């Protein structure tokens, strides 16, 4: 099963080597993380980041190995934004000269960068940002300024305490005209003593949800008081300001910016798969260990994993973890394909790629956040303990639903593209890529599902057509309703809840399609293809069951066919059950990375729970601090009152 999950044997070996390297290093311990104060947690994060860099240099790790090592350290910190946002921004938006100047410094950690876009008053509406960058031709400088409280940069990771530099997004103003949002490289702190530079006010925005979790990240606040930077620190790959203050566009198409966006969002989808698979691994393993009820005559109790109620809640999440992994792999391919096309000035697939990345980011992150919480509940009361690993995992992951684009806003962007595509169908323009199915509008609007027996739902063609018909009919219905409004914008505003559902239907079709395509490939390993087929069917039929109202309301299937799908889904759970533990073992996570006493590989759950309890700082003393000051006087007073 390892090959099925991790891909090539090389990838499996590298991942396994890096995971074990981290797990064996005492500096990377994390079992006490939820007990640390905020100050100690940040110091621990700085120490781990420095040690990771030391090991990367000492071992001469490749970029692939270094990325995996940072992954398995598993602690949010400034390096995530340095490598994930600061460096890509300079690569994507900087000129060759700017890249030659700044990237070597960033690659060697001679500077530490962050990505300062979101403000106190604006996040998703990037065009509404208030920070200004006004060009002063007298000095050949930009003046970076925060004119209001709400223009304060707010949330950038790494900004609070670590970063020396930032890519700052501000309104470019030159010759009295506002040219909108542009990126600027701004130094924030001294490279000698790390103190803020003149005119720069910055700090941490405070504690966040959960113990440990994302509190290891120094999310920051930043204000500028007329800070001057050289003109050449404006990122000028797409546009520039001349020495005289003239704003000019370069010959580089602005669409190239989408390459960076696709890269970031495909990374987020891959992260969704990792987070969900960790939660599912914990829940499946613990459900195989935990026994409750089932015995009427004093015999052994039943494994929780054998209960159909547990399977119906857990196995769709297991299938989703695999589904998100495979669609993430496909997105990685899409990134390469889009980048090559953009370099060749071929923008034909750009709109479709934007819809894919925006929609998949929204659907996978929302589903993963919900699934982690469901896994916590599937572990009963013990899932609420920090030592289960699930509360911290949820608290670390849930920000993904809002960073890099709020999920509702992203789905509405997908909906706009769907509406545009539907409007072009009458002209004969053929949709491409994942929207190609919309070109068969006449057939799909009239098609009838051919399922007559429960097992007919095991036919990939039947599943594919049902999902295509649902997505298309929902999009067409929305387009018709929008067109009936006084204006397109009024219609879009009034029908936005329906448009969200249409966008979700389209994205779920993509996920199902990519899962089906993966299963149809030649997959090595005895029985692996059969197990992936089962999971693919579980995922598709679970989505059908969850959104049955959509399938019925659009006439894609009949109520009888919906009942047959549910019947087949129950049968699939029975087939998945014998291999459930093997399917999560295939994720190949070390106990260190999993970070859960409930999900231990050896299944030795209860001694581990007992041992972890005694590690809590409250148990360092038998009698609690405060006993003599608060408890003892209270108890003595009660005793005296009782005698009276």
């Amino acid at each position: 099963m390892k090959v099925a999950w991790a891909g090539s044997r090389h990838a499996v070996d590298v991942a396994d080597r890096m995971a074990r390297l981290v797990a064996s290093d005492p500096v990377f311990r994390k079992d006490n993380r939820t007990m640390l104060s905020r100050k100690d947690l940040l110091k621990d994060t700085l120490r781990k980041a420095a040690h990771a860099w030391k090991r990367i240099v000492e071992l001469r790790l490749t970029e692939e190995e270094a990325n995996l090592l940072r992954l398995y350290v598993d602690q949010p910190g400034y390096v995530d934004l340095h490598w994930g946002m600061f460096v890509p921004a300079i690569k994507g938006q900087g000129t060759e000269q700017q890249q030659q100047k700044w990237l070597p410094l960033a690659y060697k950690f001679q500077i530490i960068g962050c990505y300062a876009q979101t403000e106190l008053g604006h996040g998703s509406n990037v065009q509404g940002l208030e920070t200004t960058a006004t060009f002063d031709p007298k000095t050949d400088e930009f003046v970076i300024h925060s004119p209001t409280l709400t223009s304060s940069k707010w949330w950038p990771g790494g900004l609070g305490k670590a970063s020396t530099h930032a890519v700052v997004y501000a309104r470019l103003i030159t010759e009295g005209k506002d040219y909108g949002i542009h990126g600027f490289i701004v130094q924030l702190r001294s490279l000698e003593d790390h103190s803020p530079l003149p005119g720069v006010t910055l700090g941490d925005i405070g504690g966040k949800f959960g113990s440990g979790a994302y509190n290891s990240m120094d999310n920051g606040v930043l204000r500028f008081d007329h800070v001057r930077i050289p003109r050449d620190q404006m990122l000028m790959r797409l546009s520039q300001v001349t020495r005289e203050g003239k704003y000019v566009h370069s010959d580089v198409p602005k669409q190239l910016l989408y390459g960076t966006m696709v890269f970031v969002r495909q990374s987020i989808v891959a992260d969704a798969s990792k987070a969900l698979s960790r939660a599912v691994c914990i829940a499946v393993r613990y459900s195989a260990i935990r026994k409750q009820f089932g015995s009427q005559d004093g015999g052994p109790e039943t494994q929780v994993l054998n209960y159909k109620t547990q399977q119906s809640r857990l196995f769709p999440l297991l299938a989703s973890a695999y589904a998100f992994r495979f669609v993430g792999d496909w997105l990685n391919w899409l990134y390469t394909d889009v980048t090559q096309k953009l370099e060749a000035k071929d923008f034909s697939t750009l709109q479709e790629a934007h819809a894919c990345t925006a929609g998949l980011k929204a659907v996978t992150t929302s589903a993963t956040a919900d699934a982690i919480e469901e896994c916590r509940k599937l572990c009963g009361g013990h899932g609420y303990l920090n030592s289960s690993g699930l509360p911290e995992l949820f608290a670390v992951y849930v920000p993904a639903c809002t960073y890099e684009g709020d999920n509702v806003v992203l789905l509405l962007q997908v909906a706009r593209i769907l509406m545009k595509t539907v409007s072009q169908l009458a002209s004969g323009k053929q949709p491409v890529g994942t929207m190609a199915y919309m070109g068969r509008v006449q057939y799909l609007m009239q098609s009838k599902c051919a399922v007559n027996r429960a097992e007919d739902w095991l036919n990939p063609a039947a599943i594919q057509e049902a999902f295509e018909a649902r997505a298309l009919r929902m999009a067409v219905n929305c387009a018709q309703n929008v067109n009936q409004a006084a204006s397109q914008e009024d219609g879009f505003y009034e029908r936005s809840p329906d448009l969200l559902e249409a966008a979700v239907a389209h994205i779920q079709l993509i996920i199902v399609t990519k899962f089906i395509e993966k299963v149809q490939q030649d997959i090595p390993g005895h029985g692996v293809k059969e197990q992936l087929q089962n999971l693919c069917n579980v995922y598709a039929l679970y989505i059908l069951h969850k959104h049955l109202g959509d399938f019925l309301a659009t006439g894609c299937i009949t109520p009888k066919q919906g009942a047959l799908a549910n019947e087949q889904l129950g049968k699939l759970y029975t087939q998945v059950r014998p291999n459930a533990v093997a399917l999560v073992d295939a994720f190949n996570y070390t106990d260190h990375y999993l970070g859960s006493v409930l999900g231990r590989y050896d299944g030795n759950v209860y001694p581990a729970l007992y041992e972890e309890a005694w590690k809590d700082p409250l148990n360092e003393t038998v009698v609690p601090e405060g006993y003599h000051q608060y408890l003892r006087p209270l108890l003595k007073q009660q005793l005296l009152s009782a005698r009276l």
Side-chain angles (χ1 to χ4, degrees), residues 44 47 50 69 155 171 187 225 257 273 307 315 317 363 380 382 396 398 432 461 583 592 594:
D44 183 60
R47 181 169 66 108
L69 185 142
W155 277 116
R171 314 192 71 82
Q187 184 172 348
D225 183 4
L257 283 178
S273 167
Y307 287 108
F315 290 171
L317 307 184
V363 168
H382 293 337
V396 165
V398 75
V432 298
L583 285 163
H592 177 275
L594 209 55

Side-chain angles (χ1 to χ4, degrees), residues 42 46 77-83 85-86 109-116 155-168 186-191 193-197 200 202-203 217-222:
L42 178 62
L46 299 179
Y78 69 88
V79 292
D80 301 344
L81 282 302
H82 178 85
W83 293 114
M85 297 297 293
F86 181 73
F109 269 126
Q110 291 175 308
I111 62 173
I112 296 171
C114 66
Y115 188 85
W155 277 116
L159 169 64
K161 295 297 174 183
S163 296
T164 62
H165 290 68
V167 171
V168 175
V186 184
Q187 184 172 348
L188 307 176
R189 291 180 168 97
S190 164
L191 294 177
D193 61 7
H194 209 62
S195 59
L197 295 184
V200 176
L202 75 173
M217 179 71 80
D218 53 326
N219 298 93
V221 54
L222 169 64

Side-chain angles (χ1 to χ4, degrees), residues 255-506:
Q255 290 93 335
L256 283 176
L257 283 178
Y258 281 90
T260 302
M261 178 201 69
V262 174
F263 168 76
V264 172
R265 289 184 179 156
Q266 67 91 17
S267 299
I268 292 174
V269 173
D271 289 342
S273 167
K274 294 184 187 82
L276 178 51
S277 59
R278 288 173 69 178
V280 168
C281 184
I282 294 167
V284 167
R285 285 177 175 174
Y286 179 61
S287 296
I289 295 297
R290 185 71 167 181
K291 295 179 181 179
Q292 294 278 37
F293 306 115
S295 174
Q296 302 297 324
D297 55 3
E301 293 183 288
T302 301
Q303 287 173 288
V304 172
L305 194 56
N306 288 337
Y307 287 108
K308 287 294 182 180
T309 50
Q310 192 83 350
Q311 294 174 12
S312 66
R313 295 165 65 194
L314 183 52
F315 290 171
L317 307 184
L318 172 59
S320 298
Y322 276 85
F324 295 173
R325 167 62 188 260
F326 297 142
V327 80
D329 289 345
W330 171 76
L331 264 189
N332 193 31
W333 169 86
L334 182 69
Y335 166 66
T336 303
D337 182 67
V338 167
T339 301
Q340 291 173 348
K341 283 185 168 67
L342 290 177
E343 293 291 349
K345 298 187 178 181
D346 176 0
F347 310 128
S348 59
T349 62
L350 194 56
Q351 179 176 269
E352 186 251 348
H354 174 54
C356 285
T357 54
L360 283 168
K361 185 273 179 186
V363 168
T364 59
T365 55
S366 292
T368 296
D370 291 344
I372 296 170
E373 169 60 8
E374 184 69 2
C375 285
R376 184 192 65 78
K377 290 184 284 192
L378 284 162
C379 291
H382 293 337
Y384 194 62
L385 286 168
N386 278 333
S387 59
S388 77
L390 292 166
E392 189 182 18
L393 180 59
F394 177 75
V396 165
Y397 188 75
V398 75
C401 295
T402 45
Y403 65 55
E404 291 311 303
D406 177 86
N407 286 352
V408 169
V409 174
L410 291 180
L411 286 172
L412 288 174
Q413 291 177 10
V414 176
R416 285 193 182 275
I417 295 172
L418 290 176
M419 294 303 95
K420 182 179 179 181
T421 304
V422 170
S423 70
Q424 294 173 338
L425 292 176
S427 67
K429 184 176 180 180
Q430 287 298 306
V432 298
T434 56
M435 292 187 175
Y437 72 97
M438 301 182 85
R440 296 185 292 121
V441 58
Q442 292 182 337
Y443 171 76
L444 289 174
M445 289 298 289
Q446 304 296 327
S447 63
K448 301 292 183 183
C449 181
V451 168
N452 296 308
R453 303 167 303 162
E455 52 266 34
D456 290 344
W457 278 115
L458 300 178
N459 180 358
I463 291 173
Q464 183 91 19
E465 185 168 301
F467 273 79
E468 288 178 347
R470 169 213 179 200
L472 180 64
R473 293 180 193 187
M474 291 178 72
V476 169
N477 289 344
C478 282
Q480 291 171 345
N481 290 329
V482 167
N483 290 334
Q484 290 173 3
S487 69
Q488 284 279 332
E489 280 306 307
D490 286 346
F492 198 90
Y493 175 79
E494 289 297 329
R495 295 290 176 174
S496 54
D498 297 334
L499 288 161
L500 283 176
E501 293 179 3
V504 169
H506 172 69

Side-chain angles (χ1 to χ4, degrees), residues 33-53:
R33 187 162 57 193
T34 58
M35 304 174 196
L36 297 177
S37 69
R38 184 80 203 288
K39 284 186 175 181
D40 287 340
L41 186 59
L42 178 62
K43 188 175 180 180
D44 183 60
T45 303
L46 299 179
R47 181 169 66 108
K48 286 176 179 174
H51 187 65
W53 180 247

